[in-house]
C-alpha cells in the first residue's frame, strides 16, 4: 500500500492514511465483499499472502458505491484451474536471534519470541472447465519466555499467541462470463499471557 502515491501511516490510530483522510475512511474489499471492521473501520479480515492472487490500491478515481473518503484496497484470492497447483511452507524465527532487550532503571523490553509459521495451499478442478476449488491453511505459533521483571520486581510469565486460519473457495462457471462463488474462512486466535506486568515496552523481534 505504501508504494502508492499519497499513502502514509495514520499515526496513533494505526492503519494507513490516504490523501489526508484517516484510516477509518478507507474501504477494504476481498473478492467483492466489504471486510471493514464495524467497530473501528479498519481492515477486518486478514490472510496469508499465499492465499491472495492480486491486490489493487485505489487512491483516487474510484466509484462512489465504494463508500470511501480515503482509498480502496481490493484483494482477489486465488482460485483453482484445470491444472492442480499447490504450495507448502515452514518458517521459524528463533528468539536467540532477536535484538538485545533495552533496559532502564524502571523497565526492560519484552523478550523476543520463538515463532513458527506453517501453511499450505492447493487448487484444481472438480469438474473440468466448470467447477474449481482452492483451499489453504495457516498456523502461526509464537511463544515468549518468562523472566522479565519490572521496576518493583514483579515478573511476567511465559506468553503464547496461537493463530490458526483455514480458507476455502469454490467457483462454478455457469457460462464463460458468469460464475457462482462460495467462500468460507475460519480464524481462531488464542492468547495466553499470565502475569503480564506493566512497565514493559515491546521492541523489534528481528
Amino acid at each position: 500500500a505504501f508504494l502508492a502515491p499519497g499513502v502514509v501511516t495514520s499515526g496513533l490510530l494505526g492503519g494507513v492514511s490516504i490523501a489526508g483522510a484517516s484510516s477509518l475512511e478507507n474501504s477494504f474489499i476481498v473478492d467483492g465483499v466489504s471486510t471493514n471492521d464495524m467497530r473501528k473501520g479498519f481492515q477486518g479480515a486478514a490472510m496469508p499472502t499465499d492465499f491472495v492472487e492480486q491486490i489493487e490500491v485505489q487512491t483516487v478515481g474510484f466509484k462512489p458505491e465504494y463508500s470511501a473518503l480515503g482509498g480502496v484496497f481490493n484483494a482477489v484470492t486465488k482460485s483453482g484451474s484445470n491444472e492442480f497447483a499447490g504450495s507448502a511452507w515452514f518458517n521459524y524465527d528463533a528468539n536467540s536471534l532477536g535484538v538485545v532487550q533495552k533496559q532502564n532503571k524502571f523497565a526492560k523490553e519484552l523478550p523476543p519470541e520463538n515463532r513458527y509459521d506453517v501453511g499450505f495451499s492447493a487448487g484444481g478442478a472438480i469438474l473440468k472447465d466448470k467447477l474449481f476449488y482452492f483451499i489453504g491453511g495457516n498456523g502461526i505459533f509464537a511463544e515468549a519466555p518468562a523472566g522479565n521483571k519490572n521496576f518493583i520486581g514483579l515478573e511476567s510469565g511465559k506468553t503464547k499467541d496461537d493463530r490458526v486460519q483455514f480458507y476455502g473457495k469454490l467457483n462454478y462457471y455457469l457460462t464463460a462470463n458468469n460464475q457462482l462463488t462460495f467462500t468460507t474462512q475460519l480464524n481462531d486466535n488464542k492468547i495466553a499471557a499470565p502475569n503480564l506486568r506493566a512497565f514493559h515496552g515491546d521492541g523489534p523481534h528481528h
Side-chain angles (χ1 to χ4, degrees):
F2 293 108
L3 296 177
V7 181
V8 297
T9 59
S10 191
L12 293 175
L13 288 175
V16 294
S17 171
I18 297 178
S22 76
S23 58
L24 303 177
E25 298 168 289
N26 299 319
S27 179
F28 299 94
I29 299 171
V30 178
D31 289 337
V33 178
S34 175
T35 61
N36 285 45
D37 189 321
M38 294 182 293
R39 300 166 299 172
K40 300 179 180 179
F42 295 160
Q43 177 181 343
M47 63 179 60
T49 54
D50 297 77
F51 297 176
V52 178
E53 183 69 33
Q54 64 183 31
I55 298 176
E56 179 185 22
V57 181
Q58 301 181 48
T59 56
V60 294
F62 45 83
K63 297 179 180 179
E65 55 261 34
Y66 284 117
S67 299
L69 296 176
V72 176
F73 298 83
N74 184 30
V76 178
T77 59
K78 292 180 179 178
S79 299
S81 66
N82 283 328
E83 295 185 4
F84 174 81
S87 65
W89 66 92
F90 174 79
N91 299 304
Y92 170 57
D93 297 331
N95 64 359
S96 59
L97 301 178
V99 297
V100 176
Q101 299 157 259
K102 294 181 179 179
Q103 183 177 12
N104 57 28
K105 62 181 180 180
F106 297 106
K108 186 178 183 180
E109 286 183 325
L110 291 172
E113 299 174 331
N114 279 316
R115 183 177 181 274
Y116 303 86
D117 181 352
V118 59
F120 75 93
S121 66
I126 299 175
L127 297 174
K128 188 176 180 181
D129 298 327
K130 279 289 186 180
L131 182 60
F132 305 97
Y133 73 91
F134 176 83
I135 58 173
N138 180 227
I140 299 177
F141 310 100
E143 182 178 286
N148 223 17
K149 293 183 179 181
N150 63 14
F151 74 103
I152 59 174
L154 297 175
E155 186 177 69
S156 292
K158 181 173 67 175
T159 62
K160 296 182 66 177
D161 186 352
D162 297 337
R163 301 169 185 265
V164 177
Q165 181 175 132
F166 174 81
Y167 184 78
K169 183 177 184 181
L170 290 173
N171 297 91
Y172 181 73
Y173 283 81
L174 300 171
T175 67
N177 298 317
N178 297 278
Q179 64 172 300
L180 293 174
T181 300
F182 172 80
T183 61
T184 182
Q185 186 176 18
L186 170 68
N187 282 284
D188 185 34
N189 185 200
K190 296 180 180 179
I191 300 175
N195 304 324
L196 187 61
R197 305 299 179 181
F199 300 100
H200 289 282
D202 191 5
H205 294 164
H206 318 283

